[in-house]
Amino acid sequence: MFLLAMRSIRHRPGRFLATLLSAFLGTAIIMMFNSLHDTAAQDGVDSTSAETLSTAAGVVGGYGTLLVFFAVASTLTVNVRQRAAELELLRCSGATPAQLKRMVVGEAVVVALVGAALAIGPAMLGGRLLLEMFQDSGQVAGSVDHSFGPIAFMTGIDITLLASAGAAFLALRRATRGPGRRGGARKFLAYGALLTGTASVTSTFAFSASDAALMAPPAYGAILLSVGFALMAPRLLEGVLDRLPLNGASGWLAVRNLRERAGQLAGILTSLILFTAVATATLTMQAVESDTVGALGITKSVDDKTLETLNFTVVGIIVVFVCVMLVNSLYAATSYRAREFGQQRLAGATAGQVLGTVAVEGVILTVTGVLFGALAALAGIVSFTVVRSDGVLPGEMYGIGAAIVAVAAAVTLGTSLATARRMLRTPAVGAVSLAA
């Protein structure tokens, strides 16, 4: 099965490009920040510089690990679902479920290794730039030299391989699971994340306004709530569809398509929910903190500067990763529908009506992802604002939220419509016969 996996990669490299890109970016981010651990562990580094570097590596490294898993999982899930006919043919030819798992996991591991190897050079350069950024802001001494050592190398390789192998295993398990079986583990994790996130947000009220760690409980709570919603993405989408009073051919067809493909669209909704929640909560709480400190006339300490740098860095990483995840997942999911688009046109639909259906689907996905992401973010923002500034809904939230919604809508609708328009260039008869 390993030889079959290698032949599959060699003959169809385009299929694995999305997974390769996710593994490459994920490994680069993990190595880049974990190289700060290697830098902090060098002889002669002062305690303040070492603490700043270790904090940055620990916080962003944790976010990076989570994002790598979701990014690889979303691309592999789409990949496996699109290969349902191929996998079924292998089963009919005598392949056992264990052999299929070894083949798919083997493909994912090989692609992850290639992505990790390609990421070493950019990670070294990125780590050096990060160190210079901390030095320019006065948070790390200028005499500290960058080091790319075993911590960065081993964590990047190990985390990417484990995430890829685990995501491939889960993707194949979901794709081959019978229709009557439910994901009990997924439901357990979702409710666990929601309960833990609620407890973390609630614990914010146990802190005082001057506590240095005040931002941590609401931020982690918002993230955990968004993870819980992301794990429940198919059910949330079905609930939204049940309450949509859409009329017209495009609206009816969009709702029907989304209902049939709710499970396949989980990766897209996961990206939207995580992006909206983490970006909105982090940027808004940082804005509230900065405005409060400025109003009180307090000079920012090194810890305050480190936290601000981390927050903006985390949001930047999330924006890049989510854009990659969305573009990969949407492109793969939309291009896979070439035959469906051809059949609709042969049945009498115009190209404009097909694009209209895709646009309505994109709007529904965007609204659903932004809605539940905003709910998760709002829980953290309200608790933090009440304790820090005696307000409830900060004014900074509206501008930040509008910008985040605009980015999410632009990426989702832009990728879906651009890919669908490209698929429609193929004549309807040709699209049906080629896809068949």
Side-chain angles (χ1 to χ4, degrees):
M1 299 305 291
F2 181 76
L3 293 177
L4 183 59
M6 296 303 97
R7 290 172 182 170
S8 179
I9 295 175
R10 186 167 58 251
H11 288 289
R12 298 180 183 177
R15 172 189 290 169
F16 300 95
L17 183 60
T19 307
L20 176 65
L21 184 58
S22 298
F24 168 76
L25 289 175
T27 307
I29 290 171
I30 293 173
M31 287 182 174
M32 181 172 64
F33 279 94
N34 281 326
S35 69
L36 300 182
H37 279 307
D38 293 308
T39 303
Q42 293 180 109
D43 295 333
V45 178
D46 62 280
S47 59
T48 301
S49 298
E51 183 179 358
T52 298
L53 294 171
S54 298
T55 301
V59 173
V60 184
Y63 283 115
T65 301
L66 178 66
L67 290 172
V68 168
F69 181 81
F70 275 111
V72 176
S74 65
T75 54
L76 283 173
T77 299
V78 174
N79 188 317
V80 171
R81 288 186 183 276
Q82 292 181 354
R83 300 171 63 188
E86 174 189 337
L87 296 176
E88 183 62 27
L89 179 61
L90 289 173
R91 290 181 61 186
C92 294
S93 301
T96 64
Q99 289 175 322
L100 293 179
K101 289 176 182 177
R102 286 199 297 271
M103 183 189 74
V104 174
V105 172
E107 292 172 353
V109 168
V110 170
V111 173
L113 278 173
V114 175
L118 295 174
I120 294 175
M124 295 176 68
L125 178 60
R128 190 176 300 278
L129 294 175
L130 275 176
L131 177 61
E132 292 177 357
M133 181 182 66
F134 282 113
Q135 290 173 333
D136 292 340
S137 61
Q139 301 169 64
V140 175
S143 58
V144 177
D145 293 326
H146 179 255
S147 174
F148 189 90
I151 298 178
F153 183 78
M154 294 305 297
T155 54
I157 298 293
D158 292 346
I159 290 174
T160 304
L161 290 182
L162 288 174
S164 298
F169 178 82
L170 293 176
L172 184 63
R173 185 180 179 185
R174 285 196 297 267
T176 57
R177 187 167 51 212
R181 299 176 61 185
R182 296 287 181 182
R186 186 186 185 93
K187 185 183 297 185
F188 174 80
L189 292 174
Y191 286 123
L194 291 175
L195 290 174
T196 308
T198 302
S200 182
V201 168
T202 305
S203 68
T204 308
F205 298 101
F207 290 78
S208 66
S210 58
D211 283 333
L214 175 62
M215 197 181 296
Y220 282 121
I223 293 170
L224 288 171
L225 289 173
S226 68
V227 170
F229 287 142
L231 291 171
M232 300 173 64
R235 296 176 60 187
L236 295 178
L237 179 58
E238 291 174 357
V240 171
L241 294 176
D242 291 337
R243 292 163 177 79
L244 281 180
L246 288 179
N247 299 318
S250 296
W252 179 86
L253 188 57
V255 171
R256 179 182 178 278
N257 289 338
L258 290 174
R259 197 183 301 278
E260 292 292 329
R261 299 164 53 234
Q264 301 176 25
L265 298 172
I268 298 171
L269 274 180
T270 295
S271 303
L272 286 169
I273 292 172
L274 290 174
F275 166 66
T276 304
V278 180
T280 304
T282 304
L283 290 178
T284 302
M285 285 189 280
Q286 182 58 57
V288 171
E289 175 67 19
S290 298
D291 291 345
T292 303
V293 170
L296 296 175
I298 301 174
T299 303
K300 291 184 179 180
S301 64
V302 173
D303 291 338
D304 293 333
K305 292 180 180 179
T306 302
L307 181 61
E308 186 174 0
T309 303
L310 282 175
N311 286 336
F312 288 126
T313 305
V314 167
V315 172
I317 291 173
I318 290 171
V319 168
V320 173
F321 242 90
V322 168
C323 286
V324 172
M325 291 167 64
L326 278 176
V327 170
N328 283 344
S329 300
L330 285 167
Y331 178 81
T334 307
S335 60
Y336 185 62
R337 301 171 64 185
R339 184 183 185 188
E340 174 190 336
F341 294 157
Q343 290 174 331
Q344 291 175 3
R345 291 157 66 193
L346 290 176
T350 64
Q353 289 174 324
V354 174
L355 288 176
T357 301
V358 174
V360 174
E361 293 175 3
V363 170
I364 295 174
L365 285 175
T366 303
V367 170
T368 304
V370 167
L371 172 63
F372 289 100
L375 288 176
L378 197 61
I381 291 170
V382 169
S383 60
F384 175 79
T385 306
V386 168
V387 176
R388 189 69 178 97
S389 63
D390 294 329
V392 179
L393 291 176
E396 299 88 346
M397 182 183 68
Y398 301 105
I400 293 172
I404 291 169
V405 171
V407 172
V411 174
T412 304
L413 292 175
T415 305
S416 298
L417 290 175
T419 307
R421 186 181 297 275
R422 180 181 177 185
M423 295 299 103
L424 291 174
R425 293 176 184 172
T426 304
V429 176
V432 172
S433 60
L434 286 174

